[in-house]
Amino acid sequence: MARKGEASAHLYDFCCRSLLRWIWIPQMKGEPRKFDPKFRGPIHNRHCTDIICCVIFIVVILGYIALGVVAWVHGDPRKVIYPTDSYGQFCGQRDTLNENKTILFYFNILKCASPVVLINLQCPTTQLCVSKCPDRFATYIDVQASYRYRPDQWNYFRQFCKPGFNNPRKSVAQVLRDEDCPSMIIPSRPFLKRCFPDFSTKNGVLTVANQTTFKDGRGKTRNVTDLREAANGINNVLDARSVGMKIFEDYAISWYWILIGLFIAMMLSLLFLVLLRFTAGVLFWIFIFGVIGIIGYGIWHCYWEYDHLKGIPGSDLTVYDIGFQTDFKVYLQLRQTWLAFMIILCGVEVIIILMLIFLRNRIRIAIALLKEGSRAIGYIMSTLFYPIVTFLLIAICISYWAVTAVFLATSGEPVYKVMANQTLCKYANLTCDPETFNTTNVTKLCPGAQCTFAFYGGESLYHKYIFIFQLANAFVFLWLVNFAIALGQCTLAGAFASYYWAYRKPADIPLWPLFSSFGRAIRYHTGSLAFGALILAIVQLIRVILEYLDHKLKGTQNSFTRFLLCCLKCCFWCLEKFLKFINRNAYIMIAIYGKNFCTSAKEAFFLLMRNVVRVAVLDKVTDFLLFLGKILVAGGVGVLAFFFFTQRIPVFAQEVPMLNYYWVPLLTVIIGSYLVAHGFFSVYAMCVDTLFLCFCEDLERNDGSTAKPYFMSASLHRILGKKKLSPKKAVGQ
């Protein structure tokens, strides 16, 4: 999916640039650009830009902090952590009567339609905190009849009654009317801190504790299938829970091996970038053939497995025949699975080979730019670790947003409603006050009615606007995340621009270029970065709202509504991609010239349009090469992890932990390795983009004469076929 998304984005960028070049370039040919003759790189003539947006950004951050404080004052995360009984008390909360009662028990689970109802505490029956779930069948009628000569049964059943109830002489009708005790208990097991019936299947028959019938406590014997509506949903959830527990166990015993795999990926990424400086061309073809070889091995392995399973009973079944299975190994016993893998890998192999054939000339040009980028990173090695700063900033934003969202979601006060056994009670489902409920006439008009906890909510002004606060929380979160990304891009661009505009490299490169660039971005251009992040955050929030509406309207929308939502989602996706492209290059121009966001975006856009062919040849081919590097790192580490976790490396066979699913740490290592490589290569991509824009500016500013010498390096100058450098420049390099 990530590969498909990147390819779509690259194709989209190229089409936009080509179209806009056709539209705009005829208009720009007659527009001479005005240059500052004293320009000597990204350090000169700095001043604060987009001050108004900077002030607004600071005010919004202060307001966001205030929103978090208000949410913290009103919210109570215990409402999420602990279940709540019918009296509004938390189950399992420390220093309360329910400290040892961590599980919620439902008096009559037959009244609960589905697990969603149970989890949202909307089930119309009394809910009680208990220390453990029932482990046997029993009814109140049977227990009451035998309490004199079998007090142990009464003592066991009584723990599921209301606290303090110990009157087995009270008539059954009154007990059930007042819901002092449940009419029945059935074997259950805890899930999500709630007691669910212990469903299982025996010879294809639904059972509870190996029984197909039970007494409902009202004189009737009922079939377990009466719980089918709840069981269908619960069984799916329990299956997911079982798989989730096994996955958690696998992570618990293999986490250190996963970290070792990610460390190997980091070292491979660093090694790749270091070697790229000296042997970009050779290394490129090595890892190209490495990727082809890995895929070729995958094709051979799939064919070997496909041929090996020939004649084995059951191997000719299809995936459709066996249906969904939680054990992935079942699918590996089918010939159809390996045939599908082989076809997919063959398709990928053919696509890569065709792309290499048609892009061979462009690849030669891209290698030259990669060498220059590698040389720049070699002089400013600290840039490789800047993504850690961006990651920490984004992690802080995510943590603050998540905590604020939880506190906002739990800001409601307990809402109590009348629960009546009589269906004709006019007070049913009306809000009530448990402290004054017994003094009202509701219990007289509706015998057995109770004032029980329903949900968390409120009628105050604050509670009415919680949804608006959640939207504001999401919007500011998107704004801050985009600002953190923008700050990283502008900082890296400033550092690499300092390298390019150094007349004698590396002698003229400023001291601590990365820290200097970071300081300039914060001191002078916070407003411009916030402006670009604001525009992108608005579009992303609209996309989130459209996805929310699409999710909510599923099943109820007509064909026209689906078509309209699909068009809107597609348009805003394209708009977001276009804005990311504009913002990225605008931040580079801000880092070079120090102008405001709009001016920088306009100049970057027109500069790229005047060099659209070079953009397509150099920029996107470079992205493709770096993507292949990510695949090589992730694929190499993935193959190593596969052989390790499947005990195919004899030296480490005794060290491999016993796993439920070996693909859990394997996929984690592969995805994590790809993300690690992406973090390092994103710096490289930013370096290439910055050098390319600087190169285009250099060509338009200068002519290679003594008065206007080029700032590009000698190697880049030769590859791109420009006129000779001035003698002074050539000697300096």
Side-chain angles (χ1 to χ4, degrees):
M1 293 297 292
R3 190 175 187 177
K4 182 179 178 182
E6 288 194 17
S8 301
H10 295 170
L11 179 60
Y12 169 79
D13 287 347
F14 175 75
C15 293
C16 283
R17 291 166 179 167
S18 302
L19 177 62
L20 291 169
R21 177 175 182 266
W22 178 69
I23 296 174
W24 286 102
I25 286 182
Q27 302 178 21
M28 293 187 293
K29 286 183 178 179
E31 296 180 3
R33 292 190 65 197
K34 296 181 179 180
F35 296 108
D36 180 7
K38 298 181 180 180
F39 177 77
R40 286 296 180 269
I43 302 180
H44 83 305
N45 296 335
R46 289 283 160 169
H47 62 276
C48 295
T49 56
D50 295 305
I51 298 176
I52 296 178
C53 192
C54 179
V55 174
I56 295 175
F57 184 61
I58 294 174
V59 171
V60 169
I61 291 178
L62 295 177
Y64 195 38
I65 295 174
L67 176 62
V69 172
V70 173
W72 181 78
V73 171
H74 289 84
D76 189 352
R78 294 177 303 175
K79 300 170 185 176
V80 177
I81 300 173
Y82 303 108
T84 308
D85 64 12
S86 295
Y87 307 102
Q89 299 175 346
F90 298 118
C91 298
Q93 184 183 353
R94 292 184 178 180
D95 301 326
T96 65
L97 296 177
N98 291 332
E99 181 176 3
N100 298 322
K101 300 178 179 180
T102 59
I103 308 171
L104 194 66
F105 170 73
Y106 298 88
F107 271 30
N108 189 357
I109 201 170
L110 292 172
K111 294 183 179 180
C112 305
S114 68
V116 176
V117 173
L118 299 179
I119 295 170
N120 290 333
L121 302 176
Q122 297 295 324
C123 188
T125 186
T126 299
Q127 301 154 28
L128 194 68
C129 296
V130 296
S131 57
K132 60 181 180 179
C133 296
D135 59 5
R136 67 192 70 172
F137 285 104
T139 64
Y140 182 80
I141 296 175
D142 295 338
V143 171
Q144 187 196 47
S146 61
Y147 81 94
R148 287 189 177 88
Y149 54 89
R150 299 196 64 178
D152 57 320
Q153 290 190 1
W154 167 250
N155 291 331
Y156 178 82
F157 195 93
R158 188 167 61 88
Q159 63 182 322
F160 302 106
C161 298
K162 289 181 178 179
F165 181 79
N166 190 15
N167 185 13
R169 298 181 180 85
K170 188 175 181 179
S171 66
V172 175
Q174 290 179 336
V175 170
L176 299 182
R177 182 198 66 186
D178 298 336
E179 292 204 355
D180 294 319
C181 290
S183 61
M184 62 174 180
I185 57 174
I186 58 178
S188 307
R189 54 179 171 177
F191 175 56
L192 296 176
K193 296 186 178 181
R194 291 159 175 83
C195 291
F196 284 81
D198 189 7
F199 290 107
S200 61
T201 54
K202 186 175 182 180
N203 298 326
V205 179
L206 185 67
T207 65
V208 173
N210 296 325
Q211 295 190 26
T212 58
T213 61
F214 65 96
K215 296 179 179 179
D216 65 356
R218 299 179 184 272
K220 295 181 180 179
T221 300
R222 306 181 67 165
N223 197 292
V224 173
T225 54
D226 291 341
L227 298 169
R228 184 177 299 275
E229 185 176 358
N232 288 338
I234 292 173
N235 281 335
N236 293 333
V237 176
L238 293 179
D239 287 342
R241 179 221 182 202
S242 176
V243 174
M245 290 300 296
K246 291 181 180 179
I247 291 176
F248 178 80
E249 292 173 358
D250 289 343
Y251 278 126
I253 61 178
S254 64
W255 63 271
Y256 47 91
W257 292 110
I258 294 175
L259 292 181
I260 292 174
L262 297 181
F263 178 77
I264 294 174
M266 183 185 72
M267 298 306 298
L268 286 178
S269 300
L270 285 173
L271 181 63
F272 173 80
L273 293 179
V274 171
L275 293 178
L276 202 61
R277 179 183 179 184
F278 305 101
T279 57
V282 175
L283 187 60
F284 166 73
W285 291 113
I286 288 177
F287 81 72
I288 282 293
F289 287 117
V291 171
I292 294 176
I294 291 174
I295 298 177
Y297 169 78
I299 295 172
W300 174 84
H301 182 77
C302 292
Y303 175 77
W304 184 86
E305 293 283 358
Y306 176 79
D307 185 68
H308 179 71
L309 292 173
K310 185 176 181 180
I312 297 178
S315 63
D316 291 324
L317 295 174
T318 64
V319 175
Y320 179 80
D321 292 334
I322 66 174
F324 175 75
Q325 300 290 331
T326 56
D327 188 1
F328 187 73
K329 294 181 180 178
V330 175
Y331 297 105
L332 299 181
Q333 307 301 320
L334 304 180
R335 300 185 73 204
Q336 186 188 63
T337 302
W338 294 105
L339 179 62
F341 287 162
M342 184 170 61
I343 293 174
I344 293 173
L345 291 177
C346 287
V348 173
E349 188 90 326
V350 170
I351 291 174
I352 291 178
I353 293 175
L354 290 178
M355 291 182 71
L356 290 177
I357 293 174
F358 288 107
L359 296 176
R360 63 187 185 278
N361 292 327
R362 295 179 178 181
I363 289 173
R364 294 176 55 200
I365 302 174
I367 289 174
L369 198 58
L370 285 171
K371 287 183 177 180
E372 187 65 19
S374 181
R375 186 176 294 108
I377 290 180
Y379 289 128
I380 317 175
M381 289 292 291
S382 57
T383 55
L384 288 175
F385 299 96
Y386 185 84
I388 298 176
V389 177
T390 302
F391 172 79
L392 292 177
L393 291 175
I394 293 178
I396 293 173
C397 294
I398 293 175
S399 301
Y400 188 86
W401 164 78
V403 171
T404 303
V406 169
F407 274 91
L408 284 173
T410 58
S411 293
E413 300 295 333
V415 175
Y416 297 85
K417 289 193 174 184
V418 177
M419 183 179 65
N421 293 326
Q422 298 179 5
T423 57
L424 299 179
C425 179
K426 64 179 182 179
Y427 295 102
N429 294 324
L430 295 181
T431 56
C432 58
D433 185 354
E435 295 182 359
T436 61
F437 181 74
N438 292 329
T439 62
T440 64
N441 61 347
V442 176
T443 54
K444 297 179 181 178
L445 298 176
C446 303
Q450 301 181 64
C451 184
T452 60
F453 170 78
F455 54 86
Y456 290 103
E459 300 296 332
S460 67
L461 186 64
Y462 169 77
H463 294 107
K464 289 181 179 178
Y465 287 96
I466 283 182
F467 180 74
I468 303 299
F469 293 151
Q470 288 283 22
L471 281 180
N473 182 33
F475 173 71
V476 180
F477 162 71
L478 293 174
W479 193 358
L480 291 176
V481 167
N482 285 305
F483 176 81
I485 296 173
L487 178 61
Q489 292 176 343
C490 189
T491 298
L492 292 173
F496 295 127
S498 298
Y499 162 83
Y500 186 92
W501 295 108
Y503 189 68
R504 295 173 301 168
K505 302 175 177 61
D508 291 343
I509 298 177
L511 187 65
W512 307 110
L514 181 65
F515 296 102
S516 300
S517 178
F518 181 82
R520 289 194 301 270
I522 290 292
R523 180 178 179 183
Y524 297 109
H525 307 306
T526 296
S528 298
L529 301 181
F531 189 19
L534 173 63
I535 297 173
L536 196 56
I538 293 173
V539 175
Q540 290 174 340
L541 182 64
I542 295 174
R543 289 194 63 200
V544 171
I545 294 174
L546 289 175
E547 291 290 346
Y548 175 79
L549 292 176
D550 186 35
H551 176 73
K552 285 295 182 182
L553 296 177
K554 271 184 180 177
T556 60
Q557 53 189 331
N558 53 33
S559 300
F560 175 76
T561 307
R562 287 197 299 270
F563 173 76
L564 181 61
L565 277 175
C566 183
C567 290
L568 289 174
K569 289 163 62 177
C570 180
C571 290
F572 278 98
W573 178 85
C574 293
L575 179 60
E576 181 184 354
K577 292 296 182 182
F578 180 74
L579 288 176
K580 284 183 176 179
F581 164 71
I582 292 294
N583 285 10
R584 181 183 178 91
N585 292 283
Y587 299 146
I588 296 176
M589 298 300 283
I590 290 173
I592 297 174
Y593 290 109
K595 298 181 181 180
N596 61 52
F597 176 81
C598 292
T599 301
S600 300
K602 182 188 70 173
E603 292 184 355
F605 177 75
F606 287 135
L607 179 63
L608 291 172
M609 292 305 102
R610 289 192 296 272
N611 298 272
V612 66
V613 176
R614 291 192 180 103
V615 171
V617 171
L618 299 177
D619 192 25
K620 291 299 122 183
V621 172
T622 302
D623 288 345
F624 171 71
L625 300 182
L626 294 180
F627 175 73
L628 288 182
K630 299 173 193 176
I631 296 299
L632 180 64
V633 172
V637 177
V639 170
L640 180 64
F642 172 78
F643 281 108
F644 175 79
F645 288 115
T646 55
Q647 299 181 349
R648 299 189 183 187
I649 303 179
V651 178
F652 297 101
Q654 301 298 325
E655 303 294 333
V656 179
M658 298 300 296
L659 302 170
N660 296 299
Y661 309 114
Y662 74 87
W663 52 265
V664 171
L666 176 62
L667 288 180
T668 304
V669 168
I670 293 175
I671 296 174
S673 299
Y674 181 87
L675 294 177
V676 168
H678 176 75
F680 284 101
F681 294 165
S682 64
V683 175
Y684 208 88
M686 195 68 197
C687 176
V688 171
D689 289 345
T690 302
L691 295 180
F692 176 72
L693 277 180
C694 291
F695 165 74
C696 294
E697 280 285 297
D698 197 9
L699 291 180
E700 294 190 355
R701 283 179 169 276
N702 307 308
D703 55 12
S705 63
T706 304
K708 294 183 177 181
Y710 287 127
F711 283 79
M712 69 183 73
S713 64
S715 58
L716 184 62
H717 187 272
R718 288 192 300 269
I719 290 293
L720 295 173
K722 289 288 147 187
K723 61 177 68 174
K724 292 183 179 180
L725 289 168
S726 61
K728 180 180 178 182
K729 178 69 173 177
V731 172
Q733 297 189 26

